Amino acid sequence: MTNSAVAQPRSQRRGADDLIGINAVLSAEEREIRDTVRSVVQRRIKPHIASWYEDGELPARELAVELGELGLLGMHLKGYGCAGMSAVAYGLACLELEAGDSGIRSLVSVQGSLAMYAIHAFGSDEQKDQWLPDMASGHRIGCFGLTEPDHGSDPAGMRTRATRSGDDWILTGTKMWITNGSVADVAVVWARTDEGIRGFVVPTDTPGFTANTIKSKMSLRASVTSELVLDGVRLPDSARLPGATSLGAPLRCLNEARFGIVFGALGAARDCLETALAYACSREQFDRPIGGFQLTQQKLADMTLEYGKGFLLALHLGRQKDAGELAPEQVSLGKLNNVREAIEIARTARTVLGASGITGEYPVMRHANNLESVLTYEGTSEMHTLIIGQALTGVGAFR
């Protein structure tokens, strides 16, 4: 056996982050935030996530309070108990949370980038005071009701309606695939009115509001996914988001959530890559570690390249966002590339693990299944492709 066929001692190996030199492009504060969230995920999420996923359950309320105490809920918003951190810091937190599981990152991003952001950006002072502090602490959970059973990629076709009844509004309709819906205290619901699309802050104990948990999922099992039914829900005009006057308002919220995914998907990818690397260095076949074979090393090298390029793209977009210069089509670039490459990394990592890759003992198949959902929520790959195509050509191809 030659020296090249012998696995190097762990001290002589370099992990993907080290090889890429990620620490060199982050500030000391950013590294501290990343490391803090990583340690929480290692301690609180990873020991339990396999069983949560298998059981299709998540202690969402308990986790929300714990994550709120860390300042992770609405962490990129300012005031009302929110941490006011940078976009890059928020992205790094999303990456570490999704290294635990996409469902955990979804809990945080729906709370902060959809429900809280909608109230923060478009709500009245009274709405902000009423909801945001308790949502930032995790003592109240929010959800975001935009997608409908027949209208996902085309939210302009929504059928949920809000009609005037004296000084009140009556909401009727159904929303589908709503993260946090069954555990939420408040739902930000979007509805069609005679004046256009409007948003409403709906306490979930309002008569006529029902949230039904969606079961039998093969993906995002450690996440609460629900159907919202609004059957004549009566709300005062004070429940309407006064700053939301068109479909552009919920689309702005979606862009916030998509930004988190640009970073988050890389967390799942990194966890798969690290798992495959550790397995390749310990699993022996033909009297040598499989990491000593050229084809396995090619897989590890290719996964590391795509992960590294995805990280640098995410970081660049985060710097652009912090400078106030990030355009929606740039977020589409990041979401399309990073989720697509994360799925490919998960699938390749599974081949390195062989049959072990399909078991719950390792996180790879769980991440791969989750990423199938991440690929299509907050805008499918097809929609982001068309957004990029329109930006490049000036011609819309959606219809």
Side-chain angles (χ1 to χ4, degrees):
M1 184 180 297
T2 65
N3 289 338
S4 62
V6 179
Q8 295 296 307
R10 182 67 187 90
S11 60
Q12 297 181 31
R13 301 179 203 150
R14 302 183 71 181
D17 281 3
D18 182 39
L19 182 61
I20 297 162
I22 282 177
N23 279 346
V25 294
L26 300 177
S27 69
E29 182 181 29
E30 289 164 348
R31 294 195 297 271
E32 181 179 1
I33 292 168
R34 176 201 61 189
D35 293 345
T36 297
V37 180
R38 184 180 297 183
S39 66
V40 170
V41 170
Q42 191 68 32
R43 172 182 55 81
R44 184 65 179 93
I45 305 300
K46 288 196 172 184
H48 309 289
I49 190 62
S51 60
W52 291 342
Y53 186 92
E54 185 172 352
D55 296 340
E57 301 288 344
L58 183 73
R61 287 195 167 276
E62 179 182 337
L63 284 176
V65 172
E66 294 180 33
L67 295 170
E69 289 176 350
L70 292 170
L72 296 177
L73 303 180
M75 63 180 288
H76 58 306
L77 305 178
K78 294 182 179 179
Y80 306 98
C82 301
M85 302 299 291
S86 69
V88 170
Y90 171 61
L92 292 170
C94 286
L95 189 154
E96 297 302 330
L97 291 167
E98 195 146 352
D101 191 82
S102 299
I104 307 302
R105 197 266 309 145
S106 292
L107 169 65
V108 170
S109 64
V110 168
Q111 176 86 345
S113 290
L114 290 178
M116 290 178 68
Y117 177 81
I119 296 172
H120 192 276
F122 306 111
S124 65
D125 290 339
E126 291 76 12
Q127 290 167 340
K128 295 174 187 178
D129 290 335
Q130 179 181 0
W131 294 105
L132 291 180
D134 284 345
M135 294 175 78
S137 68
H139 288 94
R140 283 179 168 178
I141 296 177
C143 66
F144 188 83
L146 179 64
T147 299
E148 297 187 356
D150 297 321
H151 295 281
S153 295
D154 182 19
M158 72 175 66
R159 296 175 181 170
T160 298
R161 288 201 60 86
T163 57
R164 282 285 195 178
S165 176
D167 293 332
D168 293 342
W169 294 90
I170 305 296
L171 272 62
T172 302
T174 303
K175 301 294 182 178
M176 196 67 170
W177 310 117
I178 309 303
T179 298
N180 298 348
S182 304
V183 295
D185 301 285
V186 59
V188 175
V189 176
W190 302 91
R192 181 180 299 281
T193 74
D194 290 340
E195 294 80 32
I197 303 298
R198 298 292 185 268
F200 296 86
V201 180
V202 185
T204 57
D205 60 359
T206 305
F209 181 97
T210 306
N212 305 307
T213 302
I214 298 172
K215 299 290 188 179
S216 302
K217 297 181 297 179
M218 298 296 106
S219 177
L220 285 180
R221 291 182 55 76
S223 178
V224 178
T225 310
S226 309
E227 172 195 45
L228 307 183
V229 179
L230 299 105
D231 184 10
V233 173
R234 179 178 288 272
L235 298 168
D237 189 57
S238 60
R240 179 176 52 84
L241 292 170
T245 58
S246 70
L247 183 61
L251 294 183
R252 273 182 57 187
C253 299
L254 289 178
N255 215 48
E256 289 291 309
R258 289 165 179 165
F259 173 79
I261 293 171
V262 174
F263 276 88
L266 296 171
R270 190 194 69 206
D271 200 42
C272 291
L273 172 56
E274 289 178 343
T275 300
L277 180 59
Y279 188 89
C281 291
S282 62
R283 169 72 167 172
E284 292 192 0
Q285 292 288 283
F286 304 104
D287 301 320
R288 66 198 298 189
I290 63 173
F293 290 99
Q294 291 179 4
L295 291 178
T296 302
Q297 289 194 1
Q298 181 182 29
K299 292 177 181 180
L300 296 171
D302 286 346
M303 287 189 287
T304 299
L305 282 169
E306 295 309 320
Y307 164 70
K309 289 188 287 185
F311 184 88
L312 293 175
L313 173 58
L315 182 63
H316 168 67
L317 297 179
R319 302 287 189 223
Q320 291 284 99
K321 186 171 174 59
D322 280 325
E325 299 174 354
L326 185 64
E329 55 267 26
Q330 291 177 302
V331 179
S332 290
L333 283 171
K335 204 268 187 179
L336 177 63
N337 181 80
N338 286 6
V339 180
R340 186 165 61 188
E341 296 307 324
I343 287 181
E344 186 58 34
I345 288 171
R347 291 170 178 166
T348 302
R350 208 290 301 165
T351 69
V352 174
L353 270 68
S356 295
I358 71 168
T359 71
E361 180 182 357
Y362 297 94
V364 175
M365 185 61 79
R366 172 170 53 81
H367 283 310
N369 287 350
N370 285 339
L371 287 167
E372 292 292 346
S373 291
V374 179
L375 185 69
T376 53
Y377 71 29
E378 313 296 356
T380 65
S381 292
E382 291 82 358
M383 290 298 104
H384 288 296
T385 298
L386 296 180
I387 290 170
I388 295 167
Q390 182 174 3
L392 290 170
T393 66
V395 180
F398 294 92
R399 298 181 184 275

